[in-house]
Amino acid sequence: MPRAMFEYTVTVLQKVSFDSILFCRELEKAAKRLLPHELDELRIWLVHYIQGKPQLSNSLIYLKV
């Protein structure tokens, strides 16, 4: 089940990436919901995902990257 939550979170973040405010809001919810090792995976995914998307670079503060 926890892995399913991580996959769901990534899917949601990809779908809302058109709006930086909504993206940050969903990322903040994910930070509260995911397990510590899943947060590490999400940090890695986020760093790679926002490359080339400067409007999302401020979202890094929600995961303390």
Side-chain angles (χ1 to χ4, degrees), residues 32-50:
K32 294 176 185 175
R33 182 174 47 218
L34 294 176
L35 298 173
H37 70 276
E38 292 174 324
L39 280 176
D40 293 337
E41 286 184 61
L42 189 62
R43 283 184 191 101
I44 294 167
W45 175 85
L46 182 63
V47 167
H48 292 295
Y49 187 73
I50 65 170

Side-chain angles (χ1 to χ4, degrees), residues 1-8 38 41:
M1 179 75 159
R3 186 69 187 171
M5 186 58 74
F6 173 77
E7 294 297 331
Y8 173 75
E38 292 174 324
E41 286 184 61

Side-chain angles (χ1 to χ4, degrees), residues 10-23:
V10 168
T11 302
V12 168
L13 289 172
Q14 289 172 335
K15 288 184 179 185
V16 300
S17 64
F18 65 92
D19 182 359
S20 62
I21 295 172
L22 189 55
F23 187 85

Side-chain angles (χ1 to χ4, degrees), residues 9 12-13 16 19-33 56 58-59 61-63:
T9 299
V12 168
L13 289 172
V16 300
D19 182 359
S20 62
I21 295 172
L22 189 55
F23 187 85
C24 289
R25 201 176 300 156
E26 289 298 326
L27 194 57
E28 190 174 14
K29 288 194 302 189
K32 294 176 185 175
R33 182 174 47 218
L56 299 178
N58 61 346
S59 64
I61 62 169
Y62 293 100
L63 293 181

